[in-house]
Each structure stands twice: as structure tokens, then as C-alpha cells.
Amino acid sequence: MVKLFATVRRALVALPVAAIAIVAYAGSAGAVTVERVVSKGGIEAWFVRDTSVPLISVEFLFRGGAALEPQDKAGLANLTASLLDEGAGDLDSQAFQERLQNLSIQLHFDADYDTFGGSLKTLNRNRDEAVRLLRLALLQPRFDDAAIERMTGEIVAGIKRRASRPSYLAQRVWQQAVFPNHPYGRPITGSEQTLKNITPADLKGFVKSRLAKDRLLIGVSGDITAAELGQLLDDAFGGLPGKAAANTVPEAEPKALGYTFVLDREVPQSVAIFGLPGLKRDDPDFYAAYVMNHILGGGSFSSWLYEEVREKRGLAYSIYSYLQSRRGASYWMGSVATANAGMAKSVDLIRDQVQKMHDEGVSDEQLENAKLYLNGSFPLRFTSTEKIAAILLHIQFDNLGIDYLDRRTSLIDAVTKEDIARVAKRFLDPGKLTFAVVGQPDGLKGTAKAPDVGTL
Amino acid sequence: MMAVSIRIAAIAAGASLMLASAPVQAAVFNPESFTLENGLQVVVIPNHRTPVVNHTIYYRVGAIDEPPAKSGLAHFLEHLMFKGTDKLKPGEFSAIVARNGGQENAFTSQDYTGYYQTVAVDRLEKMMEIEANRMTGLVLTSEEIEPERNVVLEERGSRVENNPNGKLRELTNAALFMNHPYRIPIIGWEHEIRSLTREDMMTFYRDWYAPNNAILVLSGDVTVAKVRPLVEKYYGRIPARAVPARIDWREPPPTADRRVTLKHKQVQQATWSRRMIAPSYSTGPDKDTYALQVLAEILGGGSTSRLYRSLAVEQRTAASVGAWYDSGARGPGTFGFYGSPRAGHDVGEVEKLVEAEIAKLLEDGVTETEVSQAIQRLKDAAVFARDSIDAPSRIVGSALAIGRKIEDVESWPERIGEVTVDSVNKAARSLLIGKGGVVAILLPEETT
């Protein structure tokens, strides 16, 4: 087993800037040292210094995303994200974009259900201007009418483009059926109709009420010192308001459990999304569920679903499952695409494998192999500055602790067969499996009418 | 196990295509290379950030090397390479990679086929052992082939039959290339996938999979001193073998414009594109390939490009618009424009405005500022490419696989830096005046 992050070395690094506190953790192989940098202004970032290339990656997010927006203005967070780099301060859209382009500054914002995120990647040569543009985007976005109209047009075109994909429609059917009265049931993009309801005042209100220091998390990696980073944090984020408007995502009550939906589309290959309620990221059984999912349908070429559906029978090119943990709901989900003639068989096989996991759990060998993969492949997530910065961000978002990199191996190693059997019994109930199928699958009937996701 | 190729990438990915095919900063990757006695070329690209290595083997054989009426063979074989060998049971290869914490996949393009694992560097030796074994040890039975045939057909289902863009791409390539096998889809026509035999697979495998027809690329926490003994040990014992001469396919000069229109029930958002055959690194003229990369950046590189500024910002007609250029091919290159109308506009308006921009370009040429800014952006992209272990491997490996040299890759920024206003204008005129291209249009099916 590869133990890159096995032991902990703590060091307090003395720095010329007194207000920067650093706690350093290093693995035994010296692969990664995570530092907690707190700026003079009190902005915190988790940081891995990496001088291989003269650039930095900054990944950040604000807790709270599209799940907080009113239903009739669905798409507000996403539209805001598309507009923050479309003009700020004295720079109109083209002027702002020209600076980014000509200095090769990669600045992006994106909205998810529970987060509003951003990323900045820049060559050190242009770092000062990159930070200035990020600050402008966060503090003084313009929301000019022409830019709003243009980005709305692009988003609507994107919705229409995705609507031609059965896989997108299946995802929509599943979400809308399972979360009919919750923001998780609707698309992050909103619809053509809800986008029309969004005004410049809504966009400004979103920025003012949501993008605040008390919701901000930051991960950084690259060729910069901790002292320089402290200054950067104040320059980029120091002007944000201290507190965001109070908000909570309501807990989602999943519906339609055990249902099968078939949305008729004239395509030769059916696409299915399947899933059932799972467990939260902070559940004590999370690691057992994580290992269990890996064995059942995780990303390698040896999962049960891959073996039964693809390798033995050739019923699919792609089949996989994963755990999705959101603030207001968590679920176990998967996806498969099979020619119309074979989809009913794929559905049966998926049910069988879920049943088998529920009834029998896993073998010693399967568990051992899963641990070898999950621990052995972890270092592969540290091969670029943005990947490292993203991991630092997610560790914070999930409240895993700054020593998580050192603890992860033992958390996975601690999972036993009994843990997996328990967690499978607890939530992997085949009777709760909801299938959303798009296509014309032979011999597969819906148990209820599919929600209408085709009209935009 | 997938088929990837620049040539089958979606039109919508046009902007990122240039980066994907854009090679690399001079003396930045600093790859080192040596060749074994059996002809295997080995490239080591050091990056000591993390104790991880990407181990990729490229074979100089792709879809264009398939015999007539055997389309999809190279790709089907790529799938079957994950089955058994004389030493490994079916499925054991992937099980070993997974137990070693490795991630793996493979890709087939028109020009080459590649297999890779990314692993912690102390697991590299095992990867070499099993990869070297499947270079000559493949064992195929119909028990393995038949389910995999269905997998490939399902893959075709996802990429093409269920995907109007994929369908249009096949139709467009068949119209663009009159003679060159780039006209045939990498994944193959369905009826030919169905008819490929075990004998076809084994013949193709024995013909082409040989150390003297391969390039091994190691990118990550490695040095030549460390890996050379391992490479010798596992790959060095495989004897060289005569490999067939690859056909030097040529395309006759295009003489007419062609239009392909696909109306499809699934489509809600119309798209337009025009593409033409262009110089590649292989066909030349060499100078034009660099000038055209700068031209594509000026016309279609992002939100300040000429096309986006005109069609999306000023005219408010297009929801997306851009240009792409693919020079990294063993055969002809391609240059293209694409656009998608905003609600209330149609593809005819998009086409007219793109053509107006092209006319303006031919009339007035590009400016000094545009060229110098584009050059800087392209050079910067090469620095960003170093922030990864996969991208350098892909860039260097694919370049060598189409017949370029390491020096070509390393001197790319320098060559880009030599591009002038004059060379861009000349290359643009040579590409865009009087040559036939293919316009491809995707439309919703009319409803009554």
C-alpha cells in the first residue's frame, strides 16, 4: 500500500508577517504540506506551496448556492456566476475580458446547489492584475443590460442543446420526480421562463447578500510564499462584507421511491439514471458507504455493475454509481445506457446487484482490493495546482479537518465487512430504487407518468 | 476504454480544441529520450511534484490503417487489449492496475492508439510488466470478443446514434474527405463492427503491435537513470518485428463547396459550421501551420476574438461562435468555423455574419497588435500545460506518434513567436480563397 500521507509532522513556521499563522502538516513521503494561512485582515486559506511552474491556482467558494433562490427566479446563482467576469468597475465586458485574455488569466465562477464557486489561475508575471480583476469582479460587478441579455441567451441556448441529450433528460426526470418540491428537483440553470424574471436588482442583491466572508472558503496551490499569499487574500477578498444574509437549505424529503419512469423519446439507445436515498458526508458510516459504492459501481473497471452489465453481457459502454452528498439530501446514484432491446435486462441486473449487496455484503478479498485502490490512487489527485487547491477547498467544505490528508488512509482501512453489511442493510434497499429511463425500452413500463421536463 | 480523437470532438468544443492540440513551450518539458535495440522509443518527461507517474504506450497505428471494409477494427482491438494474455486471465490486467491504486484507460485516434496507467511511482514496474506482456501476449476467444462487440456497439449508440451532433460529424467528415480514410469514423460503421472477426483482430494486432512501432512515454516523478533498467528488463526482451508500410494517403484538391444538413427530432438548438482541409504538420507547408494557429486564435480564441465580438457582442446574433484549427495530424489538417444562433435568429444569419468576417479578414488582414497578443496567449498556454503530468505526456506522445520529433515540440513557442502579420495574411488567403469546404447544419425537425 502506498502511504504517502501516513504520519503527521507539525511545524510552526516563523514568517516576517506576524499576522500569518501557519500550521503545517506533512506526509512521511514529504509529498504534500498543507499550511493554514490567515491574512492580516483575517482571511483564511489552506495552502500547498508548489514551485514547479511559475503560476498559482486559487479555488474558492461561498457556502450557499442555487438551492437558496426563489423558484420563480431559478437560475439566479448561475446567471450571476456567468456575469461576474462580464464587466466590473470601470471596465465594461469587452474591456474586462480583454485584460483576462491578453494576460492569460483564467477566472471563472460557477454555481452549484449548495455553493457559489470561483477559480483563478494565473502566471506569476500577471498575478497582481489577476488579483485586481478578481477583486473587481467580486465587489463591483456591473451587470450591464447588454451583458445580461447576452449571457441569458447563451444559457438558454445551452439548455436547449442539453435537451437533445437523453442522458440530460433522464437526470432531469429523476431529480424532478424525487425532489418535486425542493430546489434540488430543478436545474441549476433555471428555465427560459424563470430567467426572464431575473432583474439587475436581483443580481446585485445576490452578490450583496451571499458573497460574504463568513461563507468563504479558499484553497491555494502554486509558486507563492505564505507571506505573499496573505497579502493576496486581503487584496482579493478583504473588501467583502463580513456576514451573509441568514439562510438554510431545507431538508429534502425524497418522493417517488421505488418508482420507474419512462420518458418516451425516439432514440435507439435508452439512458437510465437510478438512485435511492443515501447518507450525509458527516455520517459515521460514510466511509463504509464510500468503500461499498466503490465495490458495487465505483469508477474502476472491476465493479460489480461493470462486471455484470458490461463485461459479461456487453449491455453498456458506460455504467457507474456514486454517492452524492448535498446539504439538504444525500443519495446513491448511477447511470447506464443500453440499446432499447436490452435496457430492461440492464435494469434487472442493477436491481439484482443492489439486492446482493443488501443481502450479502462483500467478501474479504473485495474489501481488501477496494482499500488498495482507494488508498493507492489518492496521490493521483495531487498532480496539478488546481487539483491540489480543489482538494484543499473540499476538505474545508466537508469539515474534514486540516489533518485529513494524514487520516484518510486509516479512515478507509478501518472499514470492515461488518460495517459494509450494516450500511448496505441500512440504506441500500432495492425497493427504494427509482429509475428514470429516457428512450423506448422494450418491455419496460413506467409505474407512473414521467414528470414533464421536455418543455422549456 | 474509449475512442478519442481531435477529429471526433464536438463542434461546441472548438475553442478548447486549439489548446488540446497546442504543443509546448521550448525547453520547458525538457524530455529525455532513448531508443532500445528493438526500436522502442522511450521518452521521459520529469515532473517531481508528486510521486506519481503516467505510463503511456503509443502505437503508430490508428483507424486509417484498417483494411477496406474493416472500419472500427483499431478501436475494437483497443477494447480487447483489456482481455486476457498468455499470462493474465481476462479482467486480470485491470484488477492488477486497480489493486496498485492505478487509473487506466486507452484511446484510439485516426493516427495512433494509446494505453496508459497513472500510478504511484513505486508501482511503475508492475505496470511495465503487464503492458509489455500485452504487446505480444494477447489471447482472444469468442467468449471475450462477443460481449465486447456489444459494448462497442453501445459506445457507438452513445456517441453517434443517440447524439445528433455525432451523426452530423460522421456525415460531415464523409463529405469533407473524398479519398483520405479520415472520412471513415474511428468507431466504425455499425455493419462493419458487426462483421469483424477474431482473425481480423489478431492479424491487425500481429501486424502493428511491435516495439519498433511504439513509443513509451513516462511523465512524472521519474528520471532516465531510474527507469532505463526497468524498460530494458520488460520491453527490451521483445524482439523487433517487420511492420507493414503505412499508406501515404493523399486527398485530391477540393473543387466544390458542399452542404450537409441534418434535421433531427431531438434537436432544439440549431448549429452551423464550415470546415475545410488545411495544412497539417505532416502535409505542410510547415510555416503555414504556425501562422494558422495564430489566425485561429485571432478569429475564434475566446470572448475577445473577432468572431465572438462581432456575432455575440455587437450583432447579438450568436449564442456561441468561434474557430478551430487542427494541425496535429498524420494526414491533412482541418480548419473550421462554428456558430449557434440565439433565440430569434437563425443559422442563415450566423453564416452570413461569419462569412462577412472572413471577407473582412481577406480584405484588410490582421493587425500587428492582434498577432502579438495571440502569440503571447499561445506561448502562455504552453506554460499552463506544464502544470500537469497527463498533458505533457499526451502532447509529446501524440506528436511523436504522428511523425514529429521532440525538437518540434520543444521549439513550438519559438516557431509561434516567429509568426508575422504577413505570414498570417498569406496563410489565411491560401486557406480561404477559392477552396471548397463543407458547411454542416443541424436543425430541429419542423413541426406542423
Side-chain angles (χ1 to χ4, degrees):
Chain A
M1 199 172 315
V2 191
K3 292 201 172 179
L4 284 176
F5 309 102
T7 62
V8 180
R9 173 169 63 79
R10 287 162 201 249
L12 190 63
V13 181
L15 279 164
V17 183
I20 295 178
I22 291 178
V23 185
Y25 292 82
S28 57
V32 171
T33 304
V34 184
E35 302 175 32
R36 193 166 64 87
V37 174
V38 182
S39 75
K40 278 185 193 165
I43 312 277
E44 177 176 334
W46 291 14
F47 169 50
V48 169
R49 186 155 188 223
D50 181 322
T51 57
S52 347
V53 188
L55 50 75
I56 59 162
S57 290
V58 181
E59 300 280 327
F60 58 94
L61 64 78
F62 297 90
R63 295 180 195 268
L68 298 174
E69 56 203 26
Q71 182 156 11
D72 64 335
K73 300 196 186 216
L76 172 59
N78 182 61
L79 181 60
T80 307
S82 77
L83 283 163
L84 289 190
D85 62 355
E86 286 286 335
D90 293 338
L91 304 171
D92 70 10
S93 165
Q94 277 290 296
F96 195 92
Q97 285 291 324
E98 258 172 32
R99 300 227 176 176
L100 292 177
Q101 290 264 316
N102 289 336
L103 298 175
S104 299
I105 296 165
Q106 300 174 6
L107 174 64
H108 305 284
F109 297 91
D110 66 277
D112 205 337
Y113 288 106
D114 295 331
T115 58
F116 185 89
S119 72
L120 175 71
K121 187 167 187 178
T122 179
L123 300 170
N124 282 348
R125 189 177 81 227
N126 302 320
R127 195 201 293 158
D128 289 348
E129 181 65 1
V131 170
R132 189 180 82 89
L133 292 170
L134 169 58
R135 179 179 63 231
L136 274 181
L138 289 171
L139 298 182
Q140 299 175 53
R142 289 164 62 106
F143 298 123
D144 291 331
D145 287 343
I148 295 174
E149 193 203 336
R150 179 162 45 83
M151 295 321 291
T152 304
E154 290 186 13
I155 291 167
V156 169
I159 294 170
K160 289 184 175 169
R161 205 162 33 236
R162 280 190 294 281
S164 73
R165 293 183 202 148
S167 54
Y168 174 77
L169 294 174
Q171 184 74 38
R172 292 286 322 114
V173 169
W174 195 92
Q175 283 184 245
Q176 199 161 314
V178 175
F179 302 117
N181 303 311
H182 192 278
Y184 293 161
R186 58 189 193 228
I188 287 163
T189 52
S191 66
E192 191 165 12
Q193 193 51 50
T194 61
L195 287 167
K196 279 185 189 146
N197 299 334
I198 297 172
T199 65
D202 294 326
L203 295 159
K204 286 177 188 147
F206 179 94
V207 169
K208 208 175 150 199
S209 62
R210 299 261 174 256
L211 308 189
K213 287 180 192 166
D214 65 336
R215 300 300 164 112
L216 176 62
L217 301 171
I218 307 166
V220 179
S221 182
D223 184 10
I224 186 172
T225 65
E228 289 167 336
L229 176 56
Q231 188 62 52
L232 182 153
L233 295 174
D234 281 339
D235 290 347
F237 303 104
L240 288 168
K243 275 190 173 309
N247 62 69
T248 47
V249 177
E251 199 70 20
E253 170 92 18
K255 309 281 188 201
L257 299 181
Y259 284 53
T260 297
F261 299 98
V262 177
L263 184 69
D264 186 299
R265 284 290 185 279
E266 209 181 310
V267 288
Q269 184 186 58
S270 294
V271 179
I273 297 288
F274 51 91
L276 46 69
L279 40 69
K280 292 270 177 78
R281 186 64 183 81
D282 57 5
D283 190 295
D285 270 334
F286 177 82
Y287 290 93
Y290 182 67
V291 176
M292 182 199 72
N293 173 66
H294 177 76
I295 296 167
L296 179 53
S300 80
F301 293 157
S302 6
S303 74
W304 291 6
L305 292 178
Y306 190 89
E307 185 62 27
E308 293 299 318
V309 177
R310 174 170 162 154
E311 290 300 280
K312 284 192 189 158
R313 298 174 182 83
L315 284 166
Y317 170 61
S318 164
I319 177 157
Y320 58 87
S321 67
Y322 57 96
L323 295 171
Q324 177 82 63
S325 299
R326 300 203 188 283
R327 283 302 181 259
S330 294
Y331 31 100
W332 175 79
M333 292 203 79
S335 164
V336 66
T338 300
N340 285 329
M343 182 50 106
K345 182 71 186 162
S346 290
V347 168
D348 283 347
L349 288 165
I350 292 162
R351 274 190 211 286
D352 290 350
Q353 295 306 303
V354 170
Q355 184 78 53
K356 185 177 160 212
M357 183 62 86
H358 176 267
D359 295 346
E360 299 167 23
V362 302
S363 73
D364 288 321
E365 193 192 358
Q366 287 163 347
L367 177 59
E368 182 58 20
N369 285 340
K371 288 176 177 178
L372 285 171
Y373 175 78
L374 292 171
N375 283 329
S377 63
F378 193 56
L380 275 46
R381 300 193 204 170
F382 294 81
T383 52
S384 74
T385 57
E386 68 234 67
K387 280 193 197 172
I388 296 171
I391 284 205
L392 299 177
L393 186 60
H394 290 125
I395 294 173
Q396 295 175 78
F397 183 65
D398 289 331
N399 296 314
L400 302 175
I402 197 162
D403 58 348
Y404 173 73
L405 297 183
D406 303 312
R407 290 188 297 112
R408 185 181 180 275
T409 297
S410 52
L411 289 166
I412 285 174
D413 278 344
V415 172
T416 65
K417 254 172 48 172
E418 292 70 33
D419 292 335
I420 291 182
R422 183 181 66 250
V423 82
K425 287 255 181 322
R426 195 178 134 200
F427 84 91
L428 211 57
D429 176 357
K432 288 185 180 167
L433 260 178
T434 302
F435 280 85
V437 185
V438 175
Q440 296 177 328
D442 292 352
L444 192 65
K445 291 268 179 298
T447 55
K449 191 176 178 303
D452 183 14
V453 298
T455 51
L456 297 164
Chain B
M1 286 169 252
M2 54 183 180
V4 289
S5 161
I6 285 161
R7 262 167 301 283
I8 63 167
I11 288 169
S16 62
L17 273 184
M18 287 196 309
L19 267 188
S21 63
V24 179
Q25 180 102 332
V28 168
F29 286 162
N30 292 307
E32 290 184 72
S33 178
F34 59 93
T35 303
L36 302 188
E37 268 178 41
N38 61 14
L40 177 70
Q41 184 180 3
V42 185
V43 183
V44 176
I45 310 170
N47 178 336
H48 303 296
R49 164 185 290 147
T50 313
V52 168
V53 62
N54 173 304
H55 169 256
T56 306
I57 190 146
Y58 282 84
Y59 293 98
R60 290 188 192 88
V61 62
I64 59 171
D65 302 296
E66 292 157 351
K70 304 284 182 191
S71 68
L73 178 53
H75 171 257
F76 198 163
L77 174 63
E78 176 232 293
H79 276 235
L80 294 168
M81 287 287 283
F82 290 81
K83 305 300 181 187
T85 71
D86 52 3
K87 292 196 176 133
L88 300 174
K89 289 184 308 230
E92 209 178 337
F93 189 99
S94 292
I96 290 171
V97 174
R99 273 203 303 275
N100 284 279
Q103 290 172 355
E104 60 167 341
N105 217 322
F107 44 88
T108 306
S109 86
Q110 292 281 10
D111 297 333
Y112 51 80
T113 311
Y115 302 82
Y116 71 87
Q117 304 87 33
T118 307
V119 284
V121 72
D122 62 354
R123 305 308 162 101
L124 176 60
E125 179 167 358
K126 191 71 195 174
M127 300 303 110
M128 283 196 189
E129 183 189 334
I130 59 178
E131 192 64 82
N133 172 237
R134 72 173 168 178
M135 186 184 287
T136 55
L138 184 67
V139 173
L140 290 182
T141 64
S142 62
E143 219 181 351
E144 301 301 325
I145 293 172
E146 293 316 314
E148 201 60 32
R149 191 190 307 277
N150 290 331
V151 170
V152 172
L153 290 168
E154 292 291 354
E155 182 179 355
R156 189 180 155 82
S158 295
R159 291 184 189 278
V160 184
E161 311 300 346
N162 255 30
N163 176 356
N165 278 305
K167 273 198 169 161
L168 181 61
R169 210 172 299 130
E170 281 191 347
L171 296 164
T172 308
N173 282 335
L176 181 64
F177 297 103
M178 291 185 287
N179 185 54
H180 198 284
Y182 286 171
R183 68 200 314 280
I184 300 165
I186 294 165
I187 198 161
W189 303 115
E190 182 181 335
H191 65 281
E192 293 184 358
I193 297 171
R194 288 190 188 280
S195 71
L196 296 170
T197 65
R198 182 182 171 280
E199 194 48 41
D200 294 331
M201 314 282 174
M202 289 310 293
T203 304
F204 195 76
Y205 173 67
R206 284 193 215 100
D207 278 351
W208 298 104
Y209 282 58
N212 42 309
N213 197 40
I215 304 144
L216 181 67
V217 185
L218 298 161
S219 172
D221 190 18
V222 284
T223 60
V224 169
K226 272 192 203 157
V227 301
R228 187 159 189 154
L230 296 177
V231 175
E232 296 276 5
K233 180 176 169 189
Y234 293 104
Y235 290 100
R237 62 189 173 200
I238 304 169
R241 236 187 351 204
V243 171
R246 294 179 86 179
I247 298 169
D248 183 19
W249 289 98
R250 301 288 178 89
E251 187 66 12
T255 49
D257 292 324
R258 287 140 285 169
R259 288 179 90 81
V260 178
T261 304
L262 177 63
K263 293 182 181 174
H264 202 286
K265 256 190 188 162
Q266 269 170 268
V267 172
Q268 298 192 34
Q269 175 66 39
T271 63
W272 171 92
S273 70
R274 172 153 84 90
R275 69 196 66 200
M276 59 228 83
I277 289 174
S280 74
Y281 290 133
S282 311
T283 64
D286 194 51
K287 197 180 170 197
D288 283 12
T289 59
Y290 295 91
L292 290 176
Q293 290 174 64
V294 172
L295 177 68
E297 178 69 17
I298 291 170
L299 285 175
S303 53
T304 57
S305 67
R306 282 191 177 202
L307 289 171
Y308 188 86
R309 191 185 299 247
S310 168
L311 275 82
V313 179
E314 288 165 11
Q315 314 282 341
R316 303 180 182 195
T317 304
S320 64
V321 61
W324 81 89
Y325 173 45
D326 175 14
S327 57
R330 199 171 157 263
T334 47
F335 196 103
F337 306 92
Y338 67 91
S340 199
R342 278 173 59 169
H345 297 273
D346 61 35
V347 289
E349 293 168 77
V350 169
E351 175 168 22
K352 225 164 144 181
L353 290 171
V354 173
E355 296 300 346
E357 279 300 315
I358 295 171
K360 195 170 116 196
L361 169 83
L362 293 172
E363 179 79 20
D364 304 335
V366 294
T367 69
E368 195 72 56
T369 311
E370 284 177 318
V371 170
S372 64
Q373 287 175 342
I375 286 173
Q376 187 60 53
R377 288 199 296 271
L378 291 170
K379 284 181 165 182
D380 289 345
V383 181
F384 283 106
R386 289 164 52 205
D387 187 22
S388 153
I389 62 167
D390 298 342
S393 167
R394 201 172 58 241
I395 290 163
V396 176
S398 61
L400 296 179
I402 62 162
R404 305 195 84 213
K405 297 192 165 43
I406 288 177
E407 301 82 78
D408 297 326
V409 176
E410 289 288 275
S411 67
W412 182 82
E414 205 180 314
R415 299 297 308 276
I416 286 290
E418 289 163 7
V419 171
T420 62
V421 168
D422 194 44
S423 66
V424 173
N425 288 338
K426 273 189 184 146
R429 280 195 284 270
S430 160
L431 175 75
L432 295 165
I433 296 176
K435 302 283 195 339
V438 178
V439 169
I441 294 172
L442 187 63
L443 294 173
E445 204 165 76
E446 283 99 348
T447 45
T448 49

